[in-house]
Structures are given as structure tokens and as C-alpha cells.
Amino acid sequence: MTSIDLNADLGEGFGRWRLTDDEQLLSVVTSANVACGFHAGDAATMRRVCGLAAERGVRIGAQVSYRDLAGFGRRAMDVPPYELAAEVAYQIGALEVFARAAGTRVSYVKPHGALYNRVVHDEEQAGAVVDGVLLADPSLPVLGLPGSRLLDMAEKAGLPVVTEAFADRAYTEEGTLVPRGQEGAVLTDPADVVERSLALARSGVVTSRSGREITVSARSLCLHGDTPGAVDLARRVRARLEESGVRVEAFV
């Protein structure tokens, strides 16, 4: 039977401000990419989300990012590799405290936003992220885009790697994500997102923005928690997958 993991970005709030409906999304997804305080999230939020995830058996992932609260981690930044590696390890360690307090652990690492896109091609920044993961825990899987420099370097360093696809993002013909600043970068039609999710899970095929079909082999499927109607969309995606015979389960 075909199986797929469903992941979502969670814990993306700060203080009294909350962006994601963590409790409802944790009833749907199998893996939670938890903000670690650099692009969003704070200590209380991390603790709360880890507790909720543990209660539901959802795997906890550290969503590491550039230090950019004001820009939500989506602004391009140039961070020296030694510093970036330390900050990646710092974020993982912070989340691990709350995961362990909830009776579980951090199960994987996924970069966020500008860092995620940067390490697709930038070998220096990708290497820094890998070094940060190795500092924190050399057994942690790294979740990322197929064909990225990040996954290539992580695998060479002995880290487990997991490929992911995006149900609600437009793709280029090269298999990368269309930048958010461009029109049509985020898919908003629920029916399109649901059917794309099924196609990715069953055949690993997605239609690029230019109309060309490309292969995207992925073990995990990302649904953005900050998309309008994210909870309802996630429920529809999971229901469509399961009614079509796709088993939804965590990759770790």
C-alpha cells in the first residue's frame, strides 16, 4: 500500500499573537514542523505545541530558520557558516527540552522560509545547516526538497534524509518552488490542492507552472499551516488520500 507523511508548520505565533491553529492541525497531520523562536514561536508556544503533539502521537520536527522575527524568516540573509551552524543547533536544542518534557523527542529537522530556499542551491549555507544538525544530534533526519544541496550534503555527512513535496505551492520546471513574491506561487483552490496531493502521493508527479509534468519523489507532503482555511484543507487532503487507499503515517 502507498503511504505518505503529512507535515505542517506549527507553533508560528509569538506571545499573544497566533498564526496557526495548532490544536486542530495536530488532529490531522502526522508530523509537526515546530517554529523554534527565530522566525516565530516562543518558549511557551513550543512547550504547548510539543505537549499537544505528544498527546496525539504526532512526530515533532525542529523548523529552523534565519534569525528574522520581523520578516517571518522569509527575507534573504547572509549569515556566516559558523554562526548559522551554531544557531541551527541552538534551535534544535531549545525545542528538544520541551519535546522531552512532553515525553517524546525531536524526530527530524526542516529549514524554514528563506533558509529552506537558500539551501536548495547554496552549498555553503547547506553545509552550515548540516553542521548544526550534527552538533545537535547526528541521528536526526533532515527533511527537504528532492535534489537540493541540503539533502545531498546531509546524506554525505551520514544524516538520514527525507524528501518532501508541497501540495499548495507552484513548481518550476526544475522542480523548485516558485518564489512567494511571484503571482500564483501559492495555490488557493482547495480542489486543486486536494487532487495535487493525491497525484503526488500515488505517482510522484506534479504539473509545473508552465504546464509541464515533472517528477517529485517525496516521502512527506507539506501543508502550510498559515494558509487561509488550513485546517479544513488538511482534513480534505487526508480524507481524499485515505479514501483512495493511501496510508497516512509518519516517516519516522
Side-chain angles (χ1 to χ4, degrees):
M1 179 184 290
T2 301
S3 65
I4 194 78
D5 170 66
L6 289 182
N7 77 76
D9 303 344
L10 301 178
E12 291 184 330
F14 194 81
R16 296 178 62 185
W17 172 71
R18 292 188 184 182
L19 178 62
T20 50
D21 189 342
D22 300 321
E23 187 163 2
Q24 294 301 315
L25 282 167
L26 284 167
S27 68
V28 182
V29 300
T30 46
S31 296
N33 317 315
V34 183
C36 300
F38 273 37
H39 74 281
D42 54 34
T45 301
M46 285 189 278
R47 182 182 183 185
R48 176 177 55 82
V49 174
C50 285
L52 290 170
E55 289 174 4
R56 292 160 172 76
V58 175
R59 301 298 187 268
I60 295 170
Q63 187 161 46
V64 299
S65 70
Y66 287 126
R67 188 189 294 270
D68 181 26
L69 275 175
F72 197 61
R74 287 178 176 163
R75 298 185 293 191
M77 303 183 76
D78 290 312
V79 181
Y82 184 86
E83 182 179 336
L84 180 58
E87 292 191 339
V88 166
Y90 179 92
Q91 292 174 79
I92 297 168
L95 188 65
E96 178 71 7
V97 168
F98 299 115
R100 288 191 178 275
T104 182
R105 56 162 297 185
V106 171
S107 296
Y108 64 95
V109 178
K110 174 183 173 178
H112 164 81
L115 182 59
Y116 187 97
N117 292 321
R118 181 77 170 265
V119 297
V120 171
H121 301 296
D122 190 314
E123 185 168 314
E124 184 178 68
Q125 295 283 280
V129 172
V130 170
D131 287 344
V133 177
L134 291 171
L135 276 171
D137 184 346
S139 69
L140 285 175
V142 177
L143 181 63
L145 204 68
S148 65
R149 295 301 297 143
L150 174 65
L151 293 195
D152 180 53
M153 297 185 74
E155 191 168 34
K156 288 178 179 177
L159 293 169
V161 298
V162 181
T163 54
E164 75 169 336
F166 290 79
D168 54 3
R169 290 294 306 277
Y171 278 82
T172 68
E173 289 190 2
E174 292 73 35
T176 58
L177 301 179
V178 173
R180 279 184 173 268
Q182 296 184 17
E183 184 178 355
V186 179
L187 278 64
T188 57
D189 186 328
D192 288 344
V193 174
V194 169
E195 292 310 309
R196 170 178 280 200
S197 299
L198 183 59
L200 283 165
R202 297 183 70 175
S203 60
V205 172
V206 66
T207 301
S208 70
R209 186 172 60 168
S210 65
R212 177 183 175 184
E213 284 196 347
I214 57 174
T215 299
V216 180
S217 177
R219 177 67 188 87
S220 185
L221 188 63
C222 179
L223 297 166
H224 282 94
D226 61 344
T227 301
V231 173
D232 179 64
L233 183 59
R235 287 174 176 153
R236 290 177 61 176
V237 166
R238 178 157 187 165
R240 183 76 172 97
L241 291 170
E242 291 178 333
E243 71 185 17
S244 299
V246 177
R247 186 171 62 247
V248 178
E249 62 181 4
F251 61 82
V252 288

